[in-house]
Each structure stands twice: as structure tokens, then as C-alpha cells.
């Protein structure tokens, strides 16, 4: 049991920072995708209006 805990602590210590950075970047990327989706919807509305 003790070896398992120390192994997990070592793994978290080694990979905690990259995981935290990845989560941060994914959250920023998600916001950018939401903004891009809104822009595409607005653009399609403008194109529809232009065709009329």
C-alpha cells in the first residue's frame, strides 16, 4: 500500500503541471470555438439575407 501511494504522488508530481496547462489551454480553446461558432452563424445569416 505504501509503495502505491508514493508511486501516485510521484506520478502526480511529475505530470501535474502538464495536466494543469492542458486543462487551461483546452478551456481557452473551448471559448474560442464558441466565438467561432457564433461568427459562422452570423455569417450564414448575412449570406442568406444577401441572397434575398
Amino acid at each position: 500500500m505504501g509503495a502505491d501511494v508514493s508511486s501516485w504522488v510521484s506520478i502526480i508530481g511529475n505530470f501535474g503541471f502538464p495536466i494543469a496547462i492542458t486543462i487551461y489551454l483546452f478551456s481557452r480553446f473551448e471559448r474560442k470555438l464558441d466565438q467561432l461558432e457564433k461568427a459562422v452563424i452570423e455569417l450564414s445569416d448575412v449570406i442568406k439575407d444577401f441572397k434575398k
Side-chain angles (χ1 to χ4, degrees), residues 15-33:
F15 297 107
F17 180 73
I19 290 172
I21 293 297
T22 301
I23 291 171
Y24 171 74
L25 291 175
F26 277 152
S27 68
R28 287 186 51 91
F29 186 66
E30 181 182 7
R31 281 185 260 150
K32 294 292 183 183
L33 281 177

Side-chain angles (χ1 to χ4, degrees), residues 1 17-18 24-25 27 32 34-36 39 44 51:
M1 175 76 179
F17 180 73
Y24 171 74
L25 291 175
S27 68
K32 294 292 183 183
D34 290 340
Q35 292 174 351
L36 181 60
S44 67
K51 286 184 178 181

